[in-house]
Amino acid sequence: MSNKPALCEVTRPNSDTLWTGAALRPLSRQELCFFSSVPPQPVPPLAQTLQGYLRALEPLLPPEELSHTRRMVHDFGRPGGLGPQLQEGLEKRARLNKNWISDWWVQRAYLESRQPLPVHSNAAISLPRRDFNDWRSQLVFASRLIAAVLDFKAKINTGQLQVEFMRGKPLCKELYPLLFSSCRIPGPKHDYIAHYGRSRRSPTHITVVRNYQFFQLEVYNSDGSRMTESQIHGQLLRIRSQSWKTDKEPMGILTSEHRHTWGEAYNRLLRDKLNQESVRMIETGLFSLCLDSPVMRISDEKYASRKAAQVLHGGGTFSNSGNRWFDKTLQFVVGEDGSWGLLYEQATAEGPPVATLLDHVIEYCEKPDPKRAPLLPLPMPKKLYFHIDREIKRDIEHAKQNLDILINDLDVNVFNFKKFGKNLPKQHQMSPNSFIQVALQLAYYRVHSEVCPACDIATQRMFRGGRTEYIRSPTKQGLQFILAFDNPSVSFHFSFVQALNGHGIDRHLLGLKLQAIEEGMSIPKIFMDTAYGLATHFKLRTGQVCVCLCLNVMCFGPLVPDGYAVCYNPQADHIHFSITAFNCCEDTNAERLARTLRDTMCHLQEMLQPTV
């Protein structure tokens, strides 16, 4: 049975058309305006990328191995060699397509991955606890949150979303409409993303889930106007009254499985017409709202970590993990204890567009609701039912076991570093981001007695259809500093500026490799070299939080089993960190790295502000 929806649209990123399951149609003028004002992403010069690749290897390889790789790179890039031929193919691809790398990147980084979405692909943003601790206030706040998200969507639909700028350059807005009514669909070899919001009859509902029970909640009145907060609140009260039982099968747990396993279960699930209708309602909904039970509170110090983990994966099958549909692009989480946040699937969009949405939500939630509810009778929210046979029951039990193993394997450590914030490096003419990256590399070295390949994420939205690029560290200069504890101001900033100009090395190297495959060639030797495997085994994955309006923390899992993921939110006088690592790896320990990072930050402060 095919698992491709009959009534959805799948964006083909390499064209100005949409595939609707029947025919290609041109994008509308309104749709084109989301990315037509920004330039295409350039293909970096081949020599520049190869030089950058060798620079990235310098601190990682012993001299004899580096010499071997230099010869291989030189042979690849010489005139008449394979590199210039592939470069020519990429430049032709760039001329013919909206973006030469984004669709390849999404396919390889996300859709072809067979790992479970929780921890590995979903990212979470945990926001400051709201001042309530009961279900009544939970529903009042949830109503306002829904109204805030709908207000943001209205700005997208009416073209009122302000143009964003970075270093004076406008940013592409193409990803914003794709956030809503979109969902990742499992497949046997790779997934795909279904976009339902551009069909002739765009969805007008969201999905609400409580006690593992899913509901279809219409959020627009019959005249097309958005429901008011009080209308939404009344409907949430109705949903609560229909979801008392806590013995329901957690259908959402199925979406946490290995993608091939979930793909097979998905096809079994959709054999039944009732299940098919319920799944389609979840997939087509504008977004999901997860009404969670309270997070277990042990201590204030542990609570921040537990709260972030709760948004990321739901806390386990005996907690709130059954309140998730991990394939969904946007899932807003609101707990009875005032905890709240957003879980989002990165295949559709990475952090910056999501951060802009959250900034709007936070601002909106602080304003009073001026609208009065019309005295109109509203239909009852529709409960979504599933027919669970023996096979599906078995699939759910296996998924529960596997998700609990994954959750127990992930160590999450969240802390607020209060000694200083981004003002300190600024006072010494340093980039706060560069300063923190150096601190992370130094802390890693102190824990593991070695440097490692590390990647920070830079947006490429200053280009049409752009997604992300990696900013690599350490460089040779960074290694010298780590060994000598001297002058941290240069190396990372250079890599950062190159990435923002579209001249990072990682997407270009990936493009060259895939261009060879596209042309029917065998994979070039440069990509079979052990050095390339080492350089792309990122043991340190980092990300800076983009939501500026509050103290929040982003959280996701490491890229590799023996690595870390570190997110940071630098404020004027403090820095919020989250660190994750896998317990199954004896070499990594999130708490130890956190402790060492605190000490390292203090040592760097002493270096910049020595006491007399």
Side-chain angles (χ1 to χ4, degrees):
M1 174 181 173
S2 171
N3 60 12
K4 181 170 286 187
L7 298 174
C8 76
E9 294 184 342
V10 179
T11 302
R12 284 190 172 174
N14 254 351
S15 65
D16 290 343
T17 54
L18 284 178
W19 182 72
T20 60
L24 291 168
R25 70 164 174 82
L27 292 175
S28 68
R29 184 177 299 176
Q30 182 181 9
E31 289 165 333
L32 282 169
C33 79
F34 281 105
F35 45 73
S36 59
S37 61
V38 295
Q41 184 165 342
V43 180
L46 179 63
Q48 178 178 292
T49 292
L50 296 180
Q51 289 166 9
Y53 176 52
L54 290 173
R55 277 197 303 270
L57 291 173
E58 284 177 352
L60 304 175
L61 293 179
E64 62 275 10
E65 289 186 32
L66 186 60
S67 296
H68 169 77
T69 300
R70 281 188 192 279
R71 290 192 296 271
M72 192 173 290
V73 169
H74 178 267
D75 186 58
F76 178 79
R78 64 179 170 78
L82 188 55
Q85 179 184 341
L86 296 176
Q87 177 78 359
E88 187 177 330
L90 284 184
E91 290 170 351
K92 180 180 179 182
R93 178 181 171 87
R95 289 192 297 271
L96 296 176
N97 296 290
K98 182 181 70 181
N99 189 292
W100 62 273
I101 189 61
S102 285
D103 59 335
W104 270 352
W105 163 248
V106 170
Q107 190 73 16
R108 292 301 288 258
Y110 299 115
L111 301 181
E112 289 182 5
S113 172
R114 303 289 80 197
Q115 290 184 306
L117 297 193
V119 176
H120 296 291
S121 184
N122 291 166
I125 297 179
S126 176
L127 292 147
R129 183 179 174 275
R130 307 293 297 192
D131 188 22
F132 62 80
N133 203 17
D134 65 277
W135 67 265
R136 292 177 180 82
S137 301
Q138 176 194 29
L139 297 190
V140 169
F141 175 69
S143 306
R144 173 152 294 195
L145 188 154
I146 292 170
V149 180
L150 295 178
D151 187 67
F152 184 82
K153 186 178 186 300
K155 290 185 182 300
I156 295 173
N157 293 348
T158 57
Q160 296 179 48
L161 197 64
Q162 290 185 346
V163 177
E164 301 163 277
F165 291 87
M166 176 177 283
R167 299 190 170 207
K169 297 179 180 178
L171 299 183
C172 180
K173 298 195 289 183
E174 172 192 352
L175 294 176
Y176 285 106
L178 307 183
L179 293 175
F180 298 97
S181 295
S182 59
C183 194
R184 185 163 163 173
I185 309 296
K189 294 183 179 179
H190 61 82
D191 296 354
Y192 68 94
I193 306 167
H195 298 291
Y196 300 89
R198 288 170 165 169
S199 55
R200 288 185 181 88
R201 294 186 62 184
S202 297
T204 56
H205 71 279
I206 68 170
T207 305
V208 180
V209 55
R210 178 176 180 269
N211 284 339
Y212 311 162
Q213 296 159 75
F214 291 82
F215 294 83
Q216 175 189 349
L217 173 59
E218 292 293 331
V219 289
Y220 292 88
N221 292 304
S222 56
D223 62 358
S225 62
R226 303 197 306 268
M227 282 191 181
T228 64
E229 285 178 39
S230 56
Q231 284 180 303
I232 295 169
H233 180 248
Q235 295 293 74
L236 292 182
L237 287 170
R238 285 172 146 184
I239 287 173
R240 178 178 167 80
S241 70
Q242 294 184 73
S243 56
W244 283 106
K245 292 186 177 180
T246 57
D247 60 348
K248 300 298 182 181
E249 288 289 352
M251 296 301 299
I253 294 285
L254 289 171
T255 64
S256 71
E257 269 283 26
H258 180 281
R259 300 308 289 173
H260 178 73
T261 305
W262 166 221
E264 291 181 332
Y266 183 86
N267 286 334
R268 282 192 290 272
L269 189 66
L270 265 59
R271 288 176 193 155
D272 183 273
K273 188 176 180 182
L274 177 68
N275 295 343
Q276 195 174 97
E277 290 173 354
S278 294
V279 169
R280 288 290 177 260
M281 283 300 107
I282 296 170
E283 292 176 344
T284 58
L286 297 168
F287 55 90
S288 292
L289 171 70
C290 312
L291 295 174
D292 278 7
S293 57
V295 178
M296 186 184 299
R297 190 154 194 160
I298 300 173
S299 66
D300 287 344
E301 184 182 0
K302 296 282 188 183
Y303 181 69
S305 300
R306 194 173 285 262
K307 188 160 64 79
Q310 186 80 198
V311 179
L312 181 63
H313 50 56
T317 58
F318 292 99
S319 186
N320 293 298
S321 294
N323 283 354
R324 307 285 184 271
W325 194 269
F326 291 103
D327 293 353
K328 197 69 184 153
T329 299
L330 296 176
Q331 298 190 87
F332 292 90
V333 178
V334 180
E336 270 189 40
D337 56 353
S339 61
W340 73 295
L342 171 63
L343 182 68
Y344 64 96
E345 169 46 35
Q346 296 187 89
T348 303
E350 287 89 3
V354 174
T356 302
L357 163 60
L358 276 179
D359 274 345
H360 180 84
V361 168
I362 292 164
E363 277 190 312
Y364 187 99
C365 286
E366 299 309 317
K367 300 174 184 175
D369 178 23
K371 296 175 184 172
R372 309 191 78 171
L375 297 174
L376 297 172
L378 295 174
M380 198 76 169
K382 181 181 178 183
K383 191 168 188 176
L384 303 180
Y385 291 96
F386 293 89
H387 175 249
I388 301 172
D389 60 21
R390 188 182 305 169
E391 281 187 300
I392 299 301
K393 172 71 173 172
R394 181 202 63 202
D395 291 335
I396 293 172
E397 290 305 312
H398 287 169
K400 286 163 68 174
Q401 294 170 15
N402 291 334
L403 180 58
D404 281 338
I405 290 170
L406 175 61
I407 288 173
N408 291 329
D409 190 30
L410 187 73
D411 188 13
V412 180
N413 191 292
V414 173
F415 67 94
N416 190 8
F417 181 80
K418 298 179 180 180
K419 294 275 186 180
F420 61 85
K422 62 184 177 182
N423 285 352
L424 176 68
K426 282 184 175 181
Q427 290 166 5
H428 295 270
Q429 287 72 54
M430 294 181 188
S431 156
N433 204 31
S434 300
F435 180 90
I436 294 170
Q437 287 291 326
V438 168
L440 287 169
Q441 279 287 338
L442 183 52
Y444 183 94
Y445 182 81
R446 287 176 164 182
V447 171
H448 295 283
S449 302
E450 65 174 13
V451 295
C452 71
C455 62
D456 196 37
I457 300 167
T459 185
Q460 297 290 281
R461 286 175 57 230
M462 65 289 296
F463 304 116
R464 188 180 182 195
R467 296 290 294 257
T468 62
E469 175 60 283
Y470 285 154
I471 310 168
R472 284 179 164 269
S473 61
T475 62
K476 186 177 181 180
Q477 298 93 332
L479 175 61
Q480 289 169 350
F481 165 73
I482 289 167
L483 297 177
F485 203 170
D486 186 28
N487 191 12
S489 62
V490 179
S491 58
F492 182 80
H493 179 72
F494 174 73
S495 180
F496 177 68
V497 171
Q498 280 208 319
L500 287 185
N501 288 333
H503 293 162
I505 67 170
D506 284 278
R507 302 297 180 268
H508 191 193
L509 290 172
L510 174 65
L512 292 165
K513 179 181 177 181
L514 296 180
Q515 185 63 31
I517 296 171
E518 185 96 341
E519 294 184 20
M521 302 179 184
S522 58
I523 296 175
K525 291 180 181 178
I526 185 177
F527 302 115
M528 305 298 288
D529 185 19
T530 54
Y532 184 72
L534 173 67
T536 53
H537 188 81
F538 292 110
K539 291 187 178 182
L540 198 55
R541 174 194 191 188
T542 68
Q544 181 174 348
V545 180
C546 306
V547 187
C548 304
L549 295 181
C550 66
L551 181 62
N552 64 84
V553 61
M554 186 163 65
C555 187
F556 43 66
L559 280 174
V560 294
D562 56 342
Y564 300 92
V566 182
C567 298
Y568 51 95
N569 181 359
Q571 300 295 307
D573 58 358
H574 60 270
I575 305 170
H576 216 64
F577 287 98
S578 78
I579 299 176
T580 61
F582 291 114
N583 293 316
C584 65
C585 178
E586 294 180 358
D587 295 332
T588 57
N589 185 294
E591 187 174 346
R592 185 172 65 214
L593 183 63
R595 188 169 58 248
T596 307
L597 179 58
R598 284 192 192 96
D599 293 341
T600 300
M601 296 282 283
C602 292
H603 294 156
L604 288 173
Q605 181 186 24
E606 291 168 7
M607 182 191 74
L608 295 175
Q609 297 177 328
T611 54
V612 179

